[in-house]
Amino acid sequence: MAKRTRVTRPKAARIADVAQLAGVSVATVSRTLARPEVVIEETRLRVLAAVRDTGYMPNISARNLRVRKTMVVLVAVPDIANPFFAEVLQGIDDTLSAADYGLIIANLAGSPGKEARYVDLVCAGQADGVLLLCGHVMRSPDRDLRDARVPLVAACEYIPGEKFPQITIDNVDTAREAVGHLIKLGHTNIAYLSGPKSNILEQQRLEGYRQALREAGIAADAGLILRGDFTFRAGVEAGRALLALEPVARPTALFAANDEMAIGLIKTVHTAGLQIPDDLSVVGFDGIAYADYCEPTLTTIVQPRRDLGATAAAELISLMTNGRAGPRKDIKLPATLMLRDSTRAPRRSPS
Amino acid sequence: MAKRTRVTRPKAARIADVAQLAGVSVATVSRTLARPEVVIEETRLRVLAAVRDTGYMPNISARNLRVRKTMVVLVAVPDIANPFFAEVLQGIDDTLSAADYGLIIANLAGSPGKEARYVDLVCAGQADGVLLLCGHVMRSPDRDLRDARVPLVAACEYIPGEKFPQITIDNVDTAREAVGHLIKLGHTNIAYLSGPKSNILEQQRLEGYRQALREAGIAADAGLILRGDFTFRAGVEAGRALLALEPVARPTALFAANDEMAIGLIKTVHTAGLQIPDDLSVVGFDGIAYADYCEPTLTTIVQPRRDLGATAAAELISLMTNGRAGPRKDIKLPATLMLRDSTRAPRRSPS
DNA sequence: ATGCCGTATGTAATCGATTACATCGTGACG
DNA sequence: CGTCACGATGTAATCGATTACATACGGCAT
């Protein structure tokens, strides 16, 4: 005599179950949930009660199939463990979830096969748009993100020759400012610790370094360019290289293409007895949280990380909703030089 | 005279398009892709050619709807910007993608409304399983993750009173080992820098601290317990508190409930002139990369971060495929004490 | 009284794939 | 020679929601 329909319910409730319980059609249930104002109060209350009683949740796959949208965007990140990207992601996440979009994070670090899987995912209609933080348009063996017919937006790393919007900072200009700061302090013997040659950010920051020297009438010295790859370890190696030089031959200042290398370098030369900033001034790039934690604190270019993410996300949302959006495609955000304890005028007078 | 069917194709190809082009039925196309061995070679080649020509990719929403699976798992992370979790995520990602599962990262940091949205997502059938790194079972206003009828697995933070598998380290035991190391060095005046009171990890590490003291016959002194909250800033505050004490009243060693606080504290007291480890030995907990970058390098408990993630992911996969899995539910992974430069025997003889 | 309009709701087509079941040959075996 | 089995493929039901269109009803104007 038990009410068997209620007692045994192994599976999740469907819209038809709600409709039956409320004594209305499925269309009415759907409308009640999507546009409550079009059903009269009495029905609405009956439906909502039935929704509560059944614990109904619309099946998202079914909805996506029908409306041909997913309300999801994919974000391609070179390495999620990199604190810089973690903060950009925060900005993206905030903006996207405020607009009721979900977020799939494609962490490209690790096995290279991942990239292809994510491309296929998007091509299979599992995302309405893609945010590229990774400096290139992703591809799978026989497909390309552009085949996916969804809007793309790039941020952080500029991708030359593409027609979608790109949200970046002006790396050339900002690097020039960083090196200009060292020059204003009186340094003329300024080294550069580079990123990987093929990386666009590296190329731009190097260009900024060169421009600053040129403007100050300082001759570029290829021997002052140390090769790195953006990792802490590369900073350590570069530090060792500096220590191996005769003290008089050492530069009095160094501009690192990112903070992690700067910190690795500082740590190494500091342990070996060099004083920072007295013996060597160091400027970094990025403004990661650790730049303010280390000893001494690091003078660096602070990128507007959250803002980069938020702006890129906003741009993508506008593309996804308006089809084609406004006229301006490339947006440059301001980055600022943050003066801290790792820079000072050179101790020995130059030359 | 142009072949209009090929020239104008604004939308993505559907399985019916492939079938038509190959001159077979949709069933055959589906079978060719899912179980190639059941169709004869000739048809298979025709179908595969048609797939290539059309650029066909199966629509995943449609498939998910039909097979009632998504091949996606949701991972709830307290804060993605925390490097500890970033590495756990790597382990999860590797294991999951090797098994062809996708991954949605639910970053709980930021607006509290997010948690609810993710719960609804799972209840709406958008994930086949959930990995909880966040120390609690997530809820939305009128739902709970347990209502979602998908397997759950917890990792990193133990959730008491739950029946799903939990992959953690033995925090009590490991904290005891860390403090035991200080005791073996000869310290008797050992402070503890805590996490937030309500956090389970904090409670367990505090318990380990107490056990170590008790076993060594050292009386616990409530004045030696400094309140923190796992942030760098809390470490700085605690450092200031130590500096405010009379030098003779200061502890000779300190155990911090995590690395970030330990590093904040070291930085503060070091800048004020205290020598680490000579004036104060410090042990941290977690083993984040920065523990090896800072000055001095930090003696700490290294958690098997990747392994925690990989093991939890493997357990979840087994639950998702076998329904109920093996008998063992709670797995403890070994964490190891990494000796570095922040600990040493006390300078002044104890007592 | 008739016809028309607007409002609330119901009916059924639709999204695109998977798959149970039906069909059609073909070869083997009694 | 008939039937049976099996292998390859086709037909159509199905997953669960959204929504265009149909219907029914009440009120209002003529």
Side-chain angles (χ1 to χ4, degrees), chain B residues 226-263:
Chain B
L226 307 174
R227 281 277 140 225
D229 62 3
F230 288 152
T231 66
F232 182 85
R233 182 128 297 278
V236 171
E237 306 286 342
R240 296 214 183 103
L242 282 189
L243 292 169
L245 296 173
E246 289 300 312
V248 292
R250 279 188 204 129
T252 61
L254 178 139
F255 168 51
N258 81 345
D259 286 348
E260 283 192 71
M261 292 195 298
I263 293 169

Side-chain angles (χ1 to χ4, degrees), chain B residues 158-238:
Chain B
Y158 190 85
I159 309 178
E162 296 293 340
K163 55 265 158 266
F164 46 73
Q166 310 221 28
I167 321 298
T168 54
I169 64 162
D170 189 325
N171 281 281
V172 178
D173 221 56
T174 323
R176 196 167 38 137
E177 183 185 350
V179 177
H181 162 64
L182 294 171
I183 293 174
K184 263 184 251 132
L185 286 175
H187 294 275
T188 55
N189 198 3
I190 304 172
Y192 173 65
L193 174 49
S194 83
K197 258 203 188 82
S198 61
N199 184 285
I200 181 84
L201 299 177
E202 150 60 17
Q203 291 157 17
Q204 295 172 333
R205 291 171 193 177
L206 173 59
E207 173 60 20
Y209 165 76
R210 291 205 167 117
Q211 283 187 14
L213 294 187
R214 194 178 317 133
E215 284 166 16
I218 300 173
D221 175 352
L224 287 175
I225 297 190
L226 307 174
R227 281 277 140 225
D229 62 3
F230 288 152
T231 66
F232 182 85
R233 182 128 297 278
V236 171
E237 306 286 342

Side-chain angles (χ1 to χ4, degrees), chain A residues 237-273:
Chain A
E237 308 285 341
R240 297 216 182 99
L242 282 190
L243 292 170
L245 295 175
E246 290 299 313
V248 293
R250 282 192 202 126
T252 62
L254 178 139
F255 169 51
N258 79 346
D259 286 347
E260 283 192 73
M261 292 195 299
I263 293 170
L265 180 132
I266 286 178
K267 187 193 160 175
T268 306
V269 303
H270 183 258
T271 332

Side-chain angles (χ1 to χ4, degrees), chain A residues 2-343:
Chain A
K3 325 179 221 166
R4 56 177 159 58
T5 48
R6 303 300 299 270
V7 175
T8 15
R9 185 170 347 104
K11 306 266 78 188
R14 301 171 333 277
I15 196 173
D17 302 328
V18 177
Q20 188 180 1
L21 183 57
V24 298
S25 73
V26 294
T28 300
V29 175
S30 181
R31 278 190 286 252
T32 304
L33 266 21
R35 300 187 304 285
E37 70 280 5
V38 305
V39 304
I40 65 175
E41 167 118 5
E42 192 228 320
T43 357
R44 187 189 332 145
L45 293 178
R46 274 220 315 284
V47 169
L48 292 178
V51 166
R52 267 190 294 277
D53 291 354
T54 53
Y56 169 72
M57 288 256 21
N59 179 305
I60 297 191
S61 295
R63 167 185 299 163
N64 289 350
L65 173 59
R66 180 63 229 250
V67 304
R68 299 150 152 285
K69 297 205 329 177
T70 63
M71 294 303 283
V72 162
V73 342
L74 183 125
V75 185
V77 186
D79 178 10
I80 209 184
N82 181 323
F84 173 79
F85 289 115
E87 286 192 66
V88 177
L89 273 174
Q90 299 269 16
I92 293 173
D93 193 6
D94 291 350
T95 305
L96 245 30
S97 44
D100 263 310
Y101 278 91
L103 170 60
I104 295 182
I105 298 174
N107 182 21
L108 268 25
S111 63
K114 279 184 200 167
E115 169 161 337
R117 241 197 317 273
Y118 285 114
V119 172
D120 285 352
L121 201 80
V122 177
C123 291
Q126 279 301 86
D128 295 341
V130 178
L131 236 29
L132 297 168
L133 311 183
C134 56
H136 67 280
V137 177
M138 301 153 72
R139 24 184 8 123
S140 78
D142 36 28
R143 237 172 297 277
D144 178 307
L145 218 44
R146 276 167 295 232
D147 301 337
R149 309 164 177 289
V150 300
L152 307 179
V153 169
C156 301
E157 310 208 6
Y158 190 85
I159 309 179
E162 297 293 342
K163 57 262 158 272
F164 45 74
Q166 311 220 28
I167 321 300
T168 54
I169 64 162
D170 190 325
N171 281 280
V172 178
D173 221 56
T174 321
R176 195 167 39 132
E177 185 185 348
V179 177
H181 162 64
L182 294 170
I183 293 173
K184 263 183 254 136
L185 286 175
H187 295 275
T188 54
N189 197 4
I190 303 172
Y192 174 65
L193 174 49
S194 84
K197 257 203 188 80
S198 62
N199 184 286
I200 179 83
L201 300 177
E202 150 60 18
Q203 291 157 18
Q204 294 173 334
R205 291 171 194 177
L206 173 60
E207 173 60 20
Y209 165 78
R210 291 204 167 117
Q211 284 188 13
L213 294 186
R214 193 180 317 134
E215 284 167 15
I218 302 172
D221 175 354
L224 286 174
I225 296 189
L226 308 173
R227 282 274 141 226
D229 61 3
F230 286 152
T231 65
F232 181 87
R233 182 130 297 280
V236 171
E237 308 285 341
R240 297 216 182 99
L242 282 190
L243 292 170
L245 295 175
E246 290 299 313
V248 293
R250 282 192 202 126
T252 62
L254 178 139
F255 169 51
N258 79 346
D259 286 347
E260 283 192 73
M261 292 195 299
I263 293 170
L265 180 132
I266 286 178
K267 187 193 160 175
T268 306
V269 303
H270 183 258
T271 332
L274 277 197
Q275 291 302 311
I276 308 284
D278 305 279
D279 298 320
L280 181 73
S281 284
V282 177
V283 178
F285 203 114
D286 276 354
I288 62 176
Y290 232 90
D292 199 20
Y293 294 176
C294 54
E295 184 58 33
T297 55
L298 182 68
T299 292
T300 188
I301 297 290
V302 177
Q303 294 205 51
R305 288 153 289 174
R306 280 191 117 83
D307 224 31
L308 279 165
T311 309
E315 196 67 15
L316 183 62
I317 290 173
S318 123
L319 280 179
M320 291 188 300
T321 53
N322 313 342
R324 299 290 97 196
R328 188 132 96 273
K329 317 189 75 178
D330 285 9
I331 301 179
K332 298 267 185 227
L333 259 31
T336 61
L337 177 64
M338 170 72 83
L339 301 178
R340 288 199 278 239
D341 302 336
S342 65
T343 52

